Amino acid sequence: MEQFYTIQGEGFNTGKAAYFIRLGGCDIGCHWCDVKESWDAWQHPPTAVDTIVENASQHPARTVVVTGGEPLIYNLQPLTTKLKEAGFRICLETSGAYPLSGEWDWICLSPKKFKAPLPSVLHAAHELKVIVFNKSDFKWAEQHAEMVGPDCLLYLQPEWSKADEVTPMIVEYVKNHPQWMISLQTHKYLDIP
Ligand code: SF4
């Protein structure tokens, strides 16, 4: 759908320069989705893997973030193989609703209520990032924290349109449950892509 060089704004890799590769296509249907234009893959003509890697290589950072849409609706092995050959550290942002494909240095799993994550992706995640839209999401976050591996980092992130309301709740929650950390969409505060 689009490619751009920016700063990773959220989660464990916050603040690091990275080349973003956003794949079109998603059938998860989050009502608060901020990239609804990504949903219909047919709106976004395919780009050759070699072109994507060449474009990424034009920038100094050697980190890419593959996001969507939901990237795992595709077999990502061809893309990640070429990115690896070009020397990139490769991060994935996924809802986990589709089987894992490709080789990853970092997997950020952000589960969605509308389509449950697969156990195989839960086990492989380096980072569990739960979007908090209302109070009931804390319980839902804990349910998913029980399903990830023991070393998986746990993040709670306010849903952007509800940030004023839910951020104070997250602050209190993290103070009382310090196994969790706060993730903020810092790119939105910085007004960068
Ligand atoms: S999974 Fe991501 S891209 Fe898909 S609808 Fe939800 S927020 Fe939007």
Side-chain angles (χ1 to χ4, degrees), residues 33-170:
C33 177
D34 56 3
V35 276
K36 288 194 168 104
E37 62 278 20
S38 72
W39 290 6
D40 182 0
W42 296 103
Q43 297 291 320
H44 310 288
T47 307
V49 163
D50 285 340
T51 305
I52 296 173
V53 177
E54 209 177 293
N55 291 342
S57 302
Q58 305 298 314
H59 304 277
R62 282 295 165 266
T63 297
V64 297
V65 177
V66 178
T67 186
E70 173 41 68
L72 288 179
I73 60 178
Y74 305 101
N75 173 12
L76 297 175
Q77 191 62 53
L79 175 63
T80 58
T81 298
K82 289 279 173 103
L83 286 166
K84 274 278 150 216
E85 283 169 12
F88 283 98
R89 175 175 177 266
I90 320 175
C91 308
L92 173 67
E93 302 267 339
T94 180
S95 68
Y98 287 87
L100 205 53
S101 58
E103 294 162 50
W104 305 97
D105 297 291
W106 193 263
I107 298 172
C108 173
L109 170 63
S110 185
K112 303 294 184 319
K113 286 185 177 154
F114 318 96
K115 207 162 188 174
L118 300 176
S120 53
V121 189
L122 281 157
H123 293 152
H126 299 92
E127 171 184 4
L128 175 70
K129 185 175 69 189
V130 176
I131 311 304
V132 180
F133 187 78
N134 58 41
K135 215 174 171 182
S136 69
D137 291 332
F138 293 108
K139 191 171 171 207
W140 193 76
E142 293 293 358
Q143 287 164 359
H144 286 81
E146 285 173 16
M147 294 188 267
V148 294
D151 297 327
C152 184
L153 302 176
L154 306 177
Y155 287 95
L156 296 169
Q157 178 173 297
E159 194 280 318
W160 181 248
S161 70
K162 290 284 198 104
D164 288 351
E165 188 185 325
V166 297
T167 303
M169 287 193 262
I170 295 175

